[in-house]
Amino acid sequence: MSRSQATSKHLTLRSLFARNVRMARIHLGLSQEKLALECGLDRTFVGSLEQGIRNISIDNIELIAKALRIPADEMLSPTLATDRGFDPTLTRAPRSTSTNAIKRRRGRASKH
């Protein structure tokens, strides 16, 4: 049994889902904000979901799974990282220019 399988046996479904959402999001290079926009959810909801704080409805599981391009049932799999080739050691998506930063720059440019 691999270490990830042994560790995942002790996770609640909520924690397992949270871990899998974070790994899938990072693998796709999405920020929490971009994932939230894709799903029509609030960024703070996605953040608290990834921390395992929030309970989630089946409808939101479906929205998130679609945005991550992973079947909803696989989002609850303890072997998702291995099955999909995700790197569980990555802790954040690559940085990119945020939507707010672009808006701020545009605002400053139009004032000049």
Side-chain angles (χ1 to χ4, degrees), residues 15-84:
S15 297
L16 182 59
F17 183 77
R19 183 191 71 182
N20 287 345
V21 167
R22 184 174 179 87
M23 279 192 298
R25 176 182 64 76
I26 290 169
H27 180 77
L28 290 174
L30 297 174
S31 65
Q32 288 179 349
E33 184 177 17
K34 286 181 182 176
L35 177 59
L37 286 171
E38 287 275 325
C39 301
L41 300 170
D42 191 82
R43 190 216 46 88
T44 58
F45 178 83
V46 172
S48 61
L49 178 72
E50 286 186 0
Q51 294 174 37
I53 296 169
R54 296 291 289 242
N55 200 356
I56 186 167
S57 70
I58 291 172
D59 294 335
N60 285 340
I61 289 173
E62 185 176 31
L63 288 172
I64 291 169
K66 283 182 181 178
L68 295 172
R69 298 178 217 116
I70 296 174
D73 63 312
E74 286 184 36
M75 294 302 299
L76 295 171
S77 171
T79 60
L80 181 70
T82 306
D83 297 345
R84 295 268 177 165

Side-chain angles (χ1 to χ4, degrees), residues 104-112:
R104 283 192 303 269
R105 273 190 243 132
R106 286 183 186 157
R108 279 187 246 151
S110 64
K111 290 178 184 179
H112 296 156

